Amino acid sequence: DAKTTQPNSMESNEEEPVHLPCNHSTISGTDYIHWYRQLPSQGPEYVIHGLTSNVNNRMASLAIAEDRKSSTLILHRATLRDAAVYYCILRDRLDYGGSQGNLIFGKGTKLSVKP
Amino acid sequence: GAGVSQSPRYKVAKRGQDVALRCDPISGHVSLFWYQQALGQGPEFLTYFQNEAQLDKSGLPSDRFFAERPEGSVSTLKIQRTQQEDSAVYLCASSLAQGQASPLHFGNGTRLTVT
């Protein structure tokens, strides 16, 4: 299974942008790049995903390198509520005649946000 | 709308007891996953259902773990003869459809403590 590498922790100041990096040098051509985050005492929460092009949604932006071997999750203005563990995940494709895969989590990046 | 609901939120079991953990997925979601999360680690895949069919149980750590989803909706994870190493948070997730792009929606988990 293709793996991802993320820094263990990062710090940010409130209301400043945050760039969370992820390396995935062994990504295959059809792996999607997913980001989830997990707030304390909660289950993981979907943030964003992409395949090749950069993606934007109301929560964040995802910038994907041209060779797809790395990506960056961008929080445009960090708030205290964004303090969480952020997981970068390659969606493992298991073909059951319909292509479904589970999520393989690493340890993620623990983001701290300072007021 | 209602998200994924798990019960109980906390469970304390004496070593050797059997436990049953319940997951109510989002209505209409085809896919259902169970994950186990040890303290300080990312979630680890246990098993996957597509409707009532258990298509992947490769992550179940031993034959003491059993999961079912008899009517393709509610799922139960059962652990027989619990051991201390079973202490963890058990997370359930559902997704609307099969396929890599369909995000997973997680419940807040059941924290199991085996004494």
Side-chain angles (χ1 to χ4, degrees), chain B residues 82-103:
Chain B
T82 52
Q83 304 295 314
Q84 283 195 316
E85 62 263 28
D86 299 335
S87 295
V89 175
Y90 291 86
L91 295 162
C92 175
S94 68
S95 68
L96 179 61
Q98 57 189 3
Q100 291 190 39
S102 185

Side-chain angles (χ1 to χ4, degrees), chain A residues 30-32 34 36 38 41-46 49 51 87 91-94 96-107, chain B residues 9 31 33 35 37 40-45 48 50 55-56 91 95 97-109 111:
Chain A
T30 51
D31 278 336
Y32 280 82
H34 287 248
Y36 283 72
Q38 189 171 22
S41 300
Q42 294 189 23
E45 172 189 29
Y46 168 79
H49 77 276
L51 184 62
Y87 297 99
R91 193 76 181 262
D92 182 18
R93 186 171 75 128
L94 300 175
Y96 295 114
S99 125
Q100 169 70 55
N102 72 74
L103 298 176
I104 300 174
F105 289 83
K107 290 191 174 181
Chain B
R9 188 78 171 89
S31 300
F33 302 82
Y35 286 81
Q37 186 171 25
Q41 304 294 316
E44 291 194 357
F45 170 77
Y48 158 65
Q50 183 180 317
L55 297 187
D56 187 349
L91 295 162
S95 68
Q98 57 189 3
Q100 291 190 39
S102 185
L104 270 61
H105 300 262
F106 284 83
N108 286 329
R111 181 178 296 278

